[in-house]
């Protein structure tokens, strides 16, 4: 009963692979009971706290965009998915361990926010693909993207876009949409 919101968010990523399946299922039942007692205000506060710590823990670096931790990045989309799961009246245990796009797509079938959730799922895939192409193209293991024009040009081609400028425009639009969605859904 003392697990903090970020610990509950971490369990949402758990999936059964091998071992004692009965034990895993018991953990899932216990988890479901725990989150059924959560108060929305505590969920919102917990997610906003972990987000602000994540954003402030890494200084802004010139000419770099952190695709995970920047406002509007992958983490913001995960926070939205986790908010919906933790605040659900009854959590569908099949969603524990699923990918963020799968979770959002599933949630969109049960929400008034269908268009927003589907677009967030698409944006997650776009940013994740960009992160992978960036790592492959520049032999990096980081989620940080250089804003150098020549690197954007190369990534634009890899992402099958017209140019680096097209990629920059699309990325700016995606991050803005994600920021606005986060702010509208996870109120302070």
């Amino acid at each position: 009963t003392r697990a903090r919101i970020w610990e509950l968010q971490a369990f949402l990523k758990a999936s059964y692979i091998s071992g004692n399946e009965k034990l895993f299922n018991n953990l899932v039942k216990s988890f479901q009971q725990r989150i059924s007692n959560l108060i929305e205000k505590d969920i919102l506060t917990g997610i906003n706290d972990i987000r602000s710590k994540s954003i402030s823990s890494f200084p802004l670096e010139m000419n770099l965009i952190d695709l995970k931790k920047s406002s509007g990045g992958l983490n913001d989309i995960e926070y939205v998915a986790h908010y919906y799961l933790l605040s659900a009246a009854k959590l569908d245990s099949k969603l524990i361990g699923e990918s963020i796009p799968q979770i959002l797509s599933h949630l969109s079938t049960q929400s008034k926010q269908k268009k927003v959730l589907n677009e967030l799922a698409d944006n997650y895939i776009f940013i994740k693909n960009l992160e992978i192409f960036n790592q492959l193209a520049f032999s990096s293991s980081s989620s940080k993207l250089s804003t150098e024009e020549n690197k954007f040009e190369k990534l634009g081609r890899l992402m099958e876009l017209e140019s680096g400028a097209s990629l920059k425009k699309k990325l700016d639009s995606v991050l803005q949409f994600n920021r606005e969605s986060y702010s509208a859904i996870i109120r302070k």
Side-chain angles (χ1 to χ4, degrees):
T1 60
R2 297 187 317 181
R4 293 184 291 250
I5 296 301
W6 69 267
E7 293 168 311
L8 298 173
Q9 287 178 269
F11 191 80
L12 289 170
K13 297 179 181 184
S15 59
Y16 175 76
I17 296 172
S18 70
N20 189 332
E21 190 171 5
K22 185 178 177 184
L23 176 62
F24 180 77
N25 291 334
N26 287 337
L27 282 170
V28 169
K29 284 179 189 169
S30 177
F31 175 77
Q32 287 175 306
Q33 288 174 338
R34 169 66 176 97
I35 67 168
S36 69
N37 297 319
L38 290 175
I39 300 167
E40 184 181 19
K41 179 181 178 269
D42 293 341
I43 298 168
L44 292 169
T45 300
I47 289 174
N48 278 317
D49 285 350
I50 195 67
R51 180 183 189 245
S52 64
K53 286 177 186 172
S54 175
I55 288 173
S56 68
S57 67
F58 292 92
L60 289 176
E61 298 178 56
M62 298 300 288
N63 302 321
L64 290 176
I65 300 168
D66 191 326
L67 296 171
K68 281 189 181 172
K69 295 180 178 144
S70 290
S71 178
L74 293 170
N75 285 355
D76 277 2
I77 301 172
E78 286 186 18
Y79 296 147
V80 168
H82 292 168
Y83 165 74
Y84 277 108
L85 291 177
L86 292 175
S87 61
K90 179 157 174 32
L91 174 66
D92 182 349
S93 63
K94 292 179 191 139
L95 295 176
I96 295 174
E98 290 296 324
S99 72
I100 295 300
Q102 288 172 316
I103 291 169
L104 291 168
S105 293
H106 176 81
L107 291 171
S108 75
T109 65
Q110 307 165 350
S111 172
K112 295 179 276 184
Q113 300 274 356
K114 180 177 182 143
K115 185 176 184 228
V116 170
L117 295 175
N118 281 328
E119 189 159 346
L120 287 171
D122 291 343
N123 290 352
Y124 190 91
I125 293 167
F126 169 78
I127 296 172
K128 197 65 174 165
N129 285 339
L130 181 56
E131 177 187 44
I132 291 167
F133 280 126
N134 182 58
Q135 291 171 348
L136 292 171
F138 304 112
S139 301
S140 169
S141 60
S142 171
S143 63
K144 294 179 181 171
L145 178 67
S146 172
T147 57
E148 293 175 29
E149 190 175 328
N150 63 333
K151 291 187 177 183
F152 257 85
E153 284 299 325
K154 184 172 186 176
L155 287 171
R157 286 190 307 274
L158 289 171
M159 297 283 292
E160 298 182 349
L161 295 170
E162 219 172 89
S163 65
S166 298
L167 173 60
K168 176 90 171 92
K169 185 176 179 180
K170 179 168 175 134
L171 179 59
D172 288 345
S173 173
V174 162
L175 294 175
Q176 181 65 30
F177 178 86
N178 297 347
R179 278 191 292 273
E180 290 171 2
S181 298
Y182 176 93
S183 295
I185 294 166
I186 303 178
R187 303 165 311 280
K188 292 203 180 218

